[in-house]
Amino acid sequence: MSKQLKNIGIIATATVVSRFLGLARDLLGAAVFGASALNTAFLSAFRLPNLFRRLLGEGALTAAFQPMLQRELHTHGRERAFVLLNRILSWLLVVTGGLAGLLMLAFSQSRLLPGHDDRWYLLADLSVILMPYLVFVCLAAALGATLNVFNRFLEPALSPIWLNLAMIASLGGAGLHWASTPLEEIHWLCAGVLFGGFLQMLVPAVALIRFESWRPRFDLGLSPEVREIARLMTPGLWGTAIYQINTYVSSMLAYSIDDSAGTLMFYANRLMELPIGVFAIAVSTVIYPLLAKHAIEKNFAG
């Protein structure tokens, strides 16, 4: 139990550091852009890939994937577990890549619908730039869930920190020094999101390769385990979708009110999520793989 408490402490500490860096990131964005239409457009565009991250990366996928991976590891060993991981990552890459491509194509045609305020076209333009983040962060979620199964919690816990650091560096460093207009500054901030998302994917991948001898392979095999994960995801996907879509629609309603409402709502939501991230997520991240392991071993008392 002391080991589990230690892991919970690691995740909670990393989450607190991440939240402070997130606060610094938001303060920097507020100082540079204020509650302007530009900042509101960026925050609203950033919500969309995060919505699909919660749908396809975290939540439903992790809940279905971890027990199956735990079973493969316990029953057939590390090699078969990595075969399953490669198949899940391959399908996730295809699905999220195709989804991101379709959304980018749709948003890029926004000016074919004339008669809207300029802020809606700005939102569409920034959504095109930010959409590849969807692919990076969904793959990162699957890699982080795998590390948790192998009782490695530090690298996944550090994931949001890389994003916050990349965004702070891109806006506070390159953006303020090299950008000549607010729009160029927001483009630097978007570049920070994409680079941070790439780091979120890269760090757990390197940890798996270095510490667990994983070798990535592209494999679209539809094994019974992959089908079972897809089946198990379905109810969780619907449940998550209801909340996430509601949140996204609420942000769009706020965006339609005026230039600042979306920004103010985003900052309020960030404060609300602080205790959830520090306490609830830290505990569930550590306990869930252990519960899955006990279930596979039929150790119901445990």
Side-chain angles (χ1 to χ4, degrees):
M1 187 62 184
S2 60
K3 183 179 179 181
Q4 305 308 321
L5 289 175
K6 177 183 176 182
N7 290 330
I8 291 172
I10 289 173
I11 296 175
T13 301
T15 303
V16 170
V17 173
S18 170
R19 298 295 177 173
F20 275 112
L21 287 173
L23 177 62
R25 179 194 82 188
D26 292 340
L27 287 173
L28 178 62
V32 174
F33 303 112
S36 63
L38 197 59
N39 197 18
T40 302
F42 167 78
L43 295 173
S44 300
F46 193 30
R47 278 187 181 274
L48 190 56
N50 275 299
L51 182 151
F52 287 103
R53 168 180 67 91
R54 304 265 176 109
L55 292 179
L56 299 176
E58 301 171 354
L61 175 63
T62 300
F65 173 54
Q66 279 189 332
M68 198 64 63
L69 186 66
Q70 192 75 263
R71 189 177 76 181
E72 286 294 291
L73 183 63
H74 179 75
T75 307
H76 302 292
R78 186 181 298 255
E79 186 175 341
R80 283 281 294 273
F82 285 150
V83 169
L84 177 60
L85 171 62
N86 284 329
R87 286 174 177 169
I88 291 299
L89 289 175
S90 299
W91 278 108
L92 201 54
L93 177 62
V94 169
V95 171
T96 57
L99 182 61
L102 287 174
L103 289 171
M104 291 170 71
L105 179 62
F107 281 117
S108 68
Q109 306 303 311
S110 64
R111 283 173 176 77
L112 296 178
L113 300 172
H116 296 283
D117 291 340
D118 288 342
R119 67 170 178 262
W120 291 103
Y121 299 119
L122 177 62
L123 171 62
D125 293 343
L126 294 180
S127 296
V128 172
I129 299 172
L130 291 172
M131 204 54 64
Y133 177 72
L134 161 65
V135 180
F136 295 144
V137 78
C138 286
L139 293 174
L143 292 166
T146 303
L147 284 170
N148 290 342
V149 168
F150 284 96
N151 291 314
R152 297 195 63 88
F153 295 95
L154 179 60
E155 292 86 355
L158 293 176
S159 179
I161 292 177
W162 308 130
L163 175 66
N164 289 328
L165 288 175
M167 293 175 69
I168 290 170
S170 63
L171 178 58
L176 293 181
H177 284 87
W178 294 332
S180 56
T181 65
L183 184 59
E184 289 182 7
E185 290 174 343
I186 214 76
H187 285 161
W188 273 107
L189 185 56
C190 291
V193 171
L194 296 180
F195 183 64
F198 178 74
L199 288 178
Q200 286 181 292
M201 178 188 67
L202 180 65
V203 171
V206 170
L208 275 171
I209 292 170
R210 181 178 177 185
F211 298 113
E212 306 297 340
S213 302
W214 169 61
R215 293 296 176 265
R217 299 281 186 276
F218 188 75
D219 182 359
L220 289 177
L222 274 175
S223 64
E225 293 79 17
V226 174
R227 296 177 188 273
E228 180 71 3
I229 290 171
R231 185 186 68 82
L232 291 172
M233 279 182 63
T234 304
L237 196 63
W238 281 108
T240 305
I242 292 170
Y243 174 75
Q244 295 301 328
I245 292 174
N246 178 58
T247 301
Y248 185 73
V249 170
S250 297
S251 71
M252 290 298 98
L253 290 173
Y255 189 66
S256 68
I257 293 173
D258 57 37
D259 291 347
S260 61
T263 298
L264 300 176
M265 183 176 177
F266 174 83
Y267 290 149
N269 191 60
R270 294 275 291 172
L271 289 174
M272 180 202 70
E273 290 183 345
L274 176 62
I276 298 174
V278 173
F279 300 108
I281 300 301
V283 173
S284 62
T285 300
V286 173
I287 295 301
Y288 191 72
L290 183 62
L291 289 173
K293 181 175 183 293
H294 287 331
I296 296 301
E297 296 170 348
K298 299 189 183 304
N299 177 12
F300 298 115

mmCIF file of all heavy atoms in Angstrom, residues 4 59-68 70 145 148-149 153 232 281-295:
data_model
loop_
_atom_site.group_PDB
_atom_site.id
_atom_site.type_symbol
_atom_site.label_atom_id
_atom_site.label_comp_id
_atom_site.label_asym_id
_atom_site.label_seq_id
_atom_site.Cartn_x
_atom_site.Cartn_y
_atom_site.Cartn_z
ATOM 1 N N GLN A 4 1.751 2.229 -3.454
ATOM 2 C CA GLN A 4 0.661 2.887 -4.155
ATOM 3 C C GLN A 4 0.508 4.337 -3.700
ATOM 4 O O GLN A 4 0.265 5.238 -4.510
ATOM 5 C CB GLN A 4 -0.652 2.114 -3.922
ATOM 6 C CG GLN A 4 -0.595 0.647 -4.286
ATOM 7 C CD GLN A 4 -0.070 0.400 -5.683
ATOM 8 O OE1 GLN A 4 -0.383 1.148 -6.614
ATOM 9 N NE2 GLN A 4 0.730 -0.636 -5.849
ATOM 10 N N GLY A 59 -10.011 8.351 -20.818
ATOM 11 C CA GLY A 59 -11.374 7.954 -20.467
ATOM 12 C C GLY A 59 -11.744 6.590 -21.003
ATOM 13 O O GLY A 59 -11.274 5.560 -20.523
ATOM 14 N N ALA A 60 -12.604 6.569 -22.035
ATOM 15 C CA ALA A 60 -13.176 5.319 -22.531
ATOM 16 C C ALA A 60 -12.097 4.362 -23.031
ATOM 17 O O ALA A 60 -12.143 3.161 -22.732
ATOM 18 C CB ALA A 60 -14.175 5.624 -23.638
ATOM 19 N N LEU A 61 -11.119 4.863 -23.787
ATOM 20 C CA LEU A 61 -10.077 3.979 -24.309
ATOM 21 C C LEU A 61 -9.236 3.407 -23.173
ATOM 22 O O LEU A 61 -8.973 2.204 -23.132
ATOM 23 C CB LEU A 61 -9.187 4.726 -25.297
ATOM 24 C CG LEU A 61 -7.986 3.927 -25.809
ATOM 25 C CD1 LEU A 61 -8.440 2.703 -26.591
ATOM 26 C CD2 LEU A 61 -7.063 4.787 -26.662
ATOM 27 N N THR A 62 -8.802 4.253 -22.252
ATOM 28 C CA THR A 62 -7.967 3.781 -21.150
ATOM 29 C C THR A 62 -8.703 2.749 -20.310
ATOM 30 O O THR A 62 -8.128 1.715 -19.927
ATOM 31 C CB THR A 62 -7.546 4.969 -20.268
ATOM 32 O OG1 THR A 62 -6.803 5.903 -21.066
ATOM 33 C CG2 THR A 62 -6.679 4.503 -19.110
ATOM 34 N N ALA A 63 -9.988 2.997 -20.023
ATOM 35 C CA ALA A 63 -10.771 2.070 -19.208
ATOM 36 C C ALA A 63 -10.920 0.716 -19.876
ATOM 37 O O ALA A 63 -10.965 -0.319 -19.205
ATOM 38 C CB ALA A 63 -12.139 2.668 -18.913
ATOM 39 N N ALA A 64 -11.009 0.688 -21.208
ATOM 40 C CA ALA A 64 -11.150 -0.579 -21.927
ATOM 41 C C ALA A 64 -9.798 -1.226 -22.217
ATOM 42 O O ALA A 64 -9.676 -2.456 -22.208
ATOM 43 C CB ALA A 64 -11.897 -0.339 -23.246
ATOM 44 N N PHE A 65 -8.796 -0.401 -22.463
ATOM 45 C CA PHE A 65 -7.497 -0.898 -22.922
ATOM 46 C C PHE A 65 -6.654 -1.472 -21.796
ATOM 47 O O PHE A 65 -6.035 -2.545 -21.945
ATOM 48 C CB PHE A 65 -6.757 0.254 -23.627
ATOM 49 C CG PHE A 65 -5.340 -0.047 -24.009
ATOM 50 C CD1 PHE A 65 -5.039 -1.152 -24.779
ATOM 51 C CD2 PHE A 65 -4.304 0.791 -23.613
ATOM 52 C CE1 PHE A 65 -3.725 -1.424 -25.143
ATOM 53 C CE2 PHE A 65 -3.000 0.527 -23.962
ATOM 54 C CZ PHE A 65 -2.710 -0.590 -24.735
ATOM 55 N N GLN A 66 -6.627 -0.803 -20.646
ATOM 56 C CA GLN A 66 -5.744 -1.250 -19.568
ATOM 57 C C GLN A 66 -6.046 -2.658 -19.063
ATOM 58 O O GLN A 66 -5.125 -3.460 -18.914
ATOM 59 C CB GLN A 66 -5.769 -0.241 -18.418
ATOM 60 C CG GLN A 66 -4.871 0.960 -18.641
ATOM 61 C CD GLN A 66 -4.747 1.833 -17.413
ATOM 62 O OE1 GLN A 66 -5.647 1.894 -16.584
ATOM 63 N NE2 GLN A 66 -3.631 2.531 -17.289
ATOM 64 N N PRO A 67 -7.305 -3.022 -18.796
ATOM 65 C CA PRO A 67 -7.551 -4.401 -18.350
ATOM 66 C C PRO A 67 -7.154 -5.448 -19.390
ATOM 67 O O PRO A 67 -6.631 -6.512 -19.044
ATOM 68 C CB PRO A 67 -9.069 -4.424 -18.101
ATOM 69 C CG PRO A 67 -9.448 -3.010 -17.900
ATOM 70 C CD PRO A 67 -8.532 -2.210 -18.763
ATOM 71 N N MET A 68 -7.409 -5.132 -20.685
ATOM 72 C CA MET A 68 -7.050 -6.079 -21.736
ATOM 73 C C MET A 68 -5.540 -6.221 -21.844
ATOM 74 O O MET A 68 -5.010 -7.335 -22.018
ATOM 75 C CB MET A 68 -7.644 -5.619 -23.065
ATOM 76 C CG MET A 68 -7.722 -6.697 -24.127
ATOM 77 S SD MET A 68 -8.813 -8.046 -23.670
ATOM 78 C CE MET A 68 -10.380 -7.187 -23.572
ATOM 79 N N GLN A 70 -3.438 -5.645 -19.404
ATOM 80 C CA GLN A 70 -3.038 -6.342 -18.191
ATOM 81 C C GLN A 70 -3.236 -7.858 -18.337
ATOM 82 O O GLN A 70 -2.390 -8.657 -17.907
ATOM 83 C CB GLN A 70 -3.857 -5.808 -17.020
ATOM 84 C CG GLN A 70 -3.382 -6.221 -15.649
ATOM 85 C CD GLN A 70 -2.148 -5.488 -15.201
ATOM 86 O OE1 GLN A 70 -1.048 -6.010 -15.336
ATOM 87 N NE2 GLN A 70 -2.316 -4.280 -14.668
ATOM 88 N N ALA A 145 -1.074 5.126 -20.636
ATOM 89 C CA ALA A 145 -1.833 4.048 -19.992
ATOM 90 C C ALA A 145 -1.011 2.765 -19.950
ATOM 91 O O ALA A 145 -1.073 2.006 -18.966
ATOM 92 C CB ALA A 145 -3.140 3.818 -20.741
ATOM 93 N N ASN A 148 1.512 2.949 -17.172
ATOM 94 C CA ASN A 148 0.856 2.715 -15.883
ATOM 95 C C ASN A 148 0.683 1.226 -15.603
ATOM 96 O O ASN A 148 0.827 0.790 -14.458
ATOM 97 C CB ASN A 148 -0.508 3.410 -15.855
ATOM 98 C CG ASN A 148 -0.393 4.923 -15.801
ATOM 99 O OD1 ASN A 148 0.652 5.468 -15.454
ATOM 100 N ND2 ASN A 148 -1.464 5.604 -16.155
ATOM 101 N N VAL A 149 0.375 0.452 -16.640
ATOM 102 C CA VAL A 149 0.252 -0.995 -16.472
ATOM 103 C C VAL A 149 1.588 -1.604 -16.040
ATOM 104 O O VAL A 149 1.629 -2.556 -15.257
ATOM 105 C CB VAL A 149 -0.245 -1.643 -17.786
ATOM 106 C CG1 VAL A 149 -0.113 -3.170 -17.735
ATOM 107 C CG2 VAL A 149 -1.699 -1.251 -18.047
ATOM 108 N N PHE A 153 4.743 5.556 -13.452
ATOM 109 C CA PHE A 153 3.744 6.623 -13.361
ATOM 110 C C PHE A 153 4.331 8.017 -13.589
ATOM 111 O O PHE A 153 3.585 8.955 -13.855
ATOM 112 C CB PHE A 153 3.059 6.582 -11.991
ATOM 113 C CG PHE A 153 2.259 5.332 -11.772
ATOM 114 C CD1 PHE A 153 2.810 4.242 -11.118
ATOM 115 C CD2 PHE A 153 0.960 5.237 -12.231
ATOM 116 C CE1 PHE A 153 2.070 3.087 -10.912
ATOM 117 C CE2 PHE A 153 0.205 4.082 -12.042
ATOM 118 C CZ PHE A 153 0.771 3.004 -11.382
ATOM 119 N N LEU A 232 -15.891 -2.702 -25.487
ATOM 120 C CA LEU A 232 -15.913 -2.174 -24.123
ATOM 121 C C LEU A 232 -15.891 -0.645 -24.102
ATOM 122 O O LEU A 232 -16.369 -0.028 -23.150
ATOM 123 C CB LEU A 232 -14.709 -2.722 -23.341
ATOM 124 C CG LEU A 232 -14.732 -4.216 -23.009
ATOM 125 C CD1 LEU A 232 -13.393 -4.653 -22.411
ATOM 126 C CD2 LEU A 232 -15.868 -4.547 -22.061
ATOM 127 N N ILE A 281 -7.960 12.303 -10.093
ATOM 128 C CA ILE A 281 -7.209 11.685 -11.191
ATOM 129 C C ILE A 281 -5.972 10.973 -10.663
ATOM 130 O O ILE A 281 -5.626 9.882 -11.123
ATOM 131 C CB ILE A 281 -6.824 12.754 -12.236
ATOM 132 C CG1 ILE A 281 -8.075 13.428 -12.813
ATOM 133 C CG2 ILE A 281 -6.014 12.119 -13.361
ATOM 134 C CD1 ILE A 281 -9.038 12.493 -13.484
ATOM 135 N N ALA A 282 -5.297 11.564 -9.691
ATOM 136 C CA ALA A 282 -4.086 10.942 -9.143
ATOM 137 C C ALA A 282 -4.394 9.577 -8.534
ATOM 138 O O ALA A 282 -3.688 8.594 -8.766
ATOM 139 C CB ALA A 282 -3.454 11.857 -8.094
ATOM 140 N N VAL A 283 -5.476 9.500 -7.760
ATOM 141 C CA VAL A 283 -5.837 8.235 -7.114
ATOM 142 C C VAL A 283 -6.272 7.204 -8.152
ATOM 143 O O VAL A 283 -5.806 6.055 -8.150
ATOM 144 C CB VAL A 283 -6.960 8.467 -6.077
ATOM 145 C CG1 VAL A 283 -7.462 7.132 -5.527
ATOM 146 C CG2 VAL A 283 -6.451 9.346 -4.940
ATOM 147 N N SER A 284 -7.163 7.582 -9.061
ATOM 148 C CA SER A 284 -7.694 6.614 -10.026
ATOM 149 C C SER A 284 -6.615 6.120 -10.979
ATOM 150 O O SER A 284 -6.619 4.948 -11.381
ATOM 151 C CB SER A 284 -8.854 7.231 -10.817
ATOM 152 O OG SER A 284 -8.417 8.344 -11.560
ATOM 153 N N THR A 285 -5.661 6.983 -11.346
ATOM 154 C CA THR A 285 -4.594 6.577 -12.264
ATOM 155 C C THR A 285 -3.745 5.465 -11.669
ATOM 156 O O THR A 285 -3.330 4.536 -12.366
ATOM 157 C CB THR A 285 -3.704 7.782 -12.609
ATOM 158 O OG1 THR A 285 -4.497 8.790 -13.238
ATOM 159 C CG2 THR A 285 -2.583 7.379 -13.564
ATOM 160 N N VAL A 286 -3.480 5.538 -10.380
ATOM 161 C CA VAL A 286 -2.650 4.523 -9.721
ATOM 162 C C VAL A 286 -3.460 3.273 -9.394
ATOM 163 O O VAL A 286 -3.004 2.140 -9.607
ATOM 164 C CB VAL A 286 -2.026 5.103 -8.434
ATOM 165 C CG1 VAL A 286 -1.307 4.005 -7.645
ATOM 166 C CG2 VAL A 286 -1.054 6.218 -8.790
ATOM 167 N N ILE A 287 -4.671 3.437 -8.883
ATOM 168 C CA ILE A 287 -5.452 2.306 -8.398
ATOM 169 C C ILE A 287 -6.028 1.467 -9.533
ATOM 170 O O ILE A 287 -6.119 0.243 -9.436
ATOM 171 C CB ILE A 287 -6.586 2.809 -7.471
ATOM 172 C CG1 ILE A 287 -5.987 3.441 -6.212
ATOM 173 C CG2 ILE A 287 -7.531 1.677 -7.092
ATOM 174 C CD1 ILE A 287 -5.109 2.506 -5.412
ATOM 175 N N TYR A 288 -6.402 2.106 -10.642
ATOM 176 C CA TYR A 288 -7.105 1.366 -11.700
ATOM 177 C C TYR A 288 -6.277 0.219 -12.291
ATOM 178 O O TYR A 288 -6.798 -0.902 -12.430
ATOM 179 C CB TYR A 288 -7.572 2.325 -12.798
ATOM 180 C CG TYR A 288 -8.511 1.666 -13.772
ATOM 181 C CD1 TYR A 288 -9.813 1.350 -13.397
ATOM 182 C CD2 TYR A 288 -8.097 1.331 -15.046
ATOM 183 C CE1 TYR A 288 -10.681 0.719 -14.272
ATOM 184 C CE2 TYR A 288 -8.953 0.706 -15.932
ATOM 185 C CZ TYR A 288 -10.245 0.402 -15.545
ATOM 186 O OH TYR A 288 -11.088 -0.226 -16.425
ATOM 187 N N PRO A 289 -4.995 0.419 -12.664
ATOM 188 C CA PRO A 289 -4.218 -0.730 -13.160
ATOM 189 C C PRO A 289 -4.085 -1.845 -12.125
ATOM 190 O O PRO A 289 -4.081 -3.030 -12.475
ATOM 191 C CB PRO A 289 -2.850 -0.116 -13.491
ATOM 192 C CG PRO A 289 -3.106 1.326 -13.685
ATOM 193 C CD PRO A 289 -4.214 1.662 -12.740
ATOM 194 N N LEU A 290 -3.991 -1.471 -10.842
ATOM 195 C CA LEU A 290 -3.880 -2.487 -9.790
ATOM 196 C C LEU A 290 -5.180 -3.278 -9.671
ATOM 197 O O LEU A 290 -5.161 -4.509 -9.515
ATOM 198 C CB LEU A 290 -3.540 -1.810 -8.462
ATOM 199 C CG LEU A 290 -3.321 -2.741 -7.262
ATOM 200 C CD1 LEU A 290 -2.132 -3.663 -7.520
ATOM 201 C CD2 LEU A 290 -3.095 -1.931 -5.991
ATOM 202 N N LEU A 291 -6.327 -2.601 -9.732
ATOM 203 C CA LEU A 291 -7.614 -3.293 -9.715
ATOM 204 C C LEU A 291 -7.737 -4.244 -10.902
ATOM 205 O O LEU A 291 -8.235 -5.372 -10.772
ATOM 206 C CB LEU A 291 -8.762 -2.272 -9.741
ATOM 207 C CG LEU A 291 -8.986 -1.451 -8.471
ATOM 208 C CD1 LEU A 291 -10.050 -0.384 -8.728
ATOM 209 C CD2 LEU A 291 -9.414 -2.334 -7.325
ATOM 210 N N ALA A 292 -7.282 -3.787 -12.083
ATOM 211 C CA ALA A 292 -7.332 -4.639 -13.271
ATOM 212 C C ALA A 292 -6.467 -5.879 -13.089
ATOM 213 O O ALA A 292 -6.844 -6.984 -13.469
ATOM 214 C CB ALA A 292 -6.881 -3.847 -14.495
ATOM 215 N N LYS A 293 -5.292 -5.714 -12.480
ATOM 216 C CA LYS A 293 -4.389 -6.837 -12.239
ATOM 217 C C LYS A 293 -5.026 -7.851 -11.281
ATOM 218 O O LYS A 293 -4.998 -9.066 -11.513
ATOM 219 C CB LYS A 293 -3.068 -6.327 -11.663
ATOM 220 C CG LYS A 293 -2.026 -7.403 -11.377
ATOM 221 C CD LYS A 293 -0.719 -6.756 -10.932
ATOM 222 C CE LYS A 293 0.371 -7.799 -10.708
ATOM 223 N NZ LYS A 293 0.061 -8.658 -9.559
ATOM 224 N N HIS A 294 -5.633 -7.365 -10.201
ATOM 225 C CA HIS A 294 -6.296 -8.260 -9.253
ATOM 226 C C HIS A 294 -7.456 -9.008 -9.927
ATOM 227 O O HIS A 294 -7.680 -10.194 -9.665
ATOM 228 C CB HIS A 294 -6.828 -7.474 -8.057
ATOM 229 C CG HIS A 294 -5.756 -7.012 -7.113
ATOM 230 N ND1 HIS A 294 -4.574 -7.689 -6.945
ATOM 231 C CD2 HIS A 294 -5.698 -5.941 -6.277
ATOM 232 C CE1 HIS A 294 -3.833 -7.059 -6.052
ATOM 233 N NE2 HIS A 294 -4.485 -5.997 -5.630
ATOM 234 N N ALA A 295 -8.182 -8.310 -10.806
ATOM 235 C CA ALA A 295 -9.306 -8.954 -11.484
ATOM 236 C C ALA A 295 -8.824 -10.062 -12.416
ATOM 237 O O ALA A 295 -9.437 -11.139 -12.482
ATOM 238 C CB ALA A 295 -10.104 -7.907 -12.277
#
